[in-house]
Amino acid sequence: MQTIEDYIYGFEGDQQEVLLYFHDVLTSFPAVTPKIRYKIPFYYQNTWVCYLNPVKPDKIAICFLRGYEMSNEQGLLESKGRKQVLSAEFASVDEIPKKLMNEIINEALFLDETVPYKPKRNNEY
């Protein structure tokens, strides 16, 4: 079974640095557990909170599974036509607004901890 570290070190340059940055931030929370699912890194607390997804040609997206429930006050998250997941893409660590991303990650973890997940159904749109 592939580890998160094996996955990250399979990338080079800026993509690897972005993956490492978010991995380090997310795993700094004691309740967060990383797992490879669907061949990419997912981060769990009570449920899936987010995942890191390589975006061609050279970016990494941090995707929040319950993004539609988040405030997105920072204006960084985009739906890209998805109904639940919101994400932000970065080509380098220097591009990441660290304070704002920490706020978003904290909000996602707080949401996961305090509000039970209710999947949207097609007839609710």
Side-chain angles (χ1 to χ4, degrees):
M1 180 180 212
Q2 183 181 34
T3 67
I4 300 282
E5 290 78 12
D6 291 338
Y7 177 86
I8 291 171
Y9 288 112
F11 288 84
E12 296 179 351
D14 287 338
Q15 277 188 308
Q16 184 185 82
E17 290 178 19
V18 172
L19 286 165
L20 273 173
Y21 173 79
F22 282 121
H23 177 71
D24 290 345
V25 169
L26 291 162
T27 56
S28 71
F29 295 92
V32 172
T33 304
K35 292 181 183 178
I36 295 285
R37 291 288 184 257
Y38 307 105
K39 300 182 182 179
I40 57 175
F42 276 76
Y43 296 84
Y44 299 78
Q45 187 172 245
N46 294 321
T47 61
W48 294 352
V49 175
C50 64
Y51 60 91
L52 301 176
N53 194 23
V55 180
K56 292 182 180 181
D58 59 357
K59 292 184 177 183
I60 298 296
I62 182 167
C63 307
F64 295 91
L65 289 119
R66 294 176 68 182
Y68 66 97
E69 294 180 67
M70 296 171 61
S71 69
N72 197 19
E73 289 176 9
Q74 302 81 3
L76 293 176
L77 301 178
E78 299 177 352
S79 71
K80 297 196 176 263
R82 297 170 293 204
K83 299 202 183 289
Q84 292 188 25
V85 176
L86 296 183
S87 64
E89 297 178 1
F90 302 100
S92 73
V93 172
D94 294 337
E95 277 186 10
I96 301 169
K98 293 166 185 65
K99 183 177 185 284
L100 297 179
M101 282 309 302
N102 284 340
E103 289 174 8
I104 292 169
I105 291 167
N106 278 301
E107 180 183 357
L109 292 170
F110 181 76
L111 178 67
D112 182 63
E113 189 177 300
T114 59
V115 180
Y117 175 64
K118 294 178 184 166
K120 283 191 165 189
R121 303 277 184 237
N122 286 337
N123 59 356
E124 293 178 9
Y125 297 137

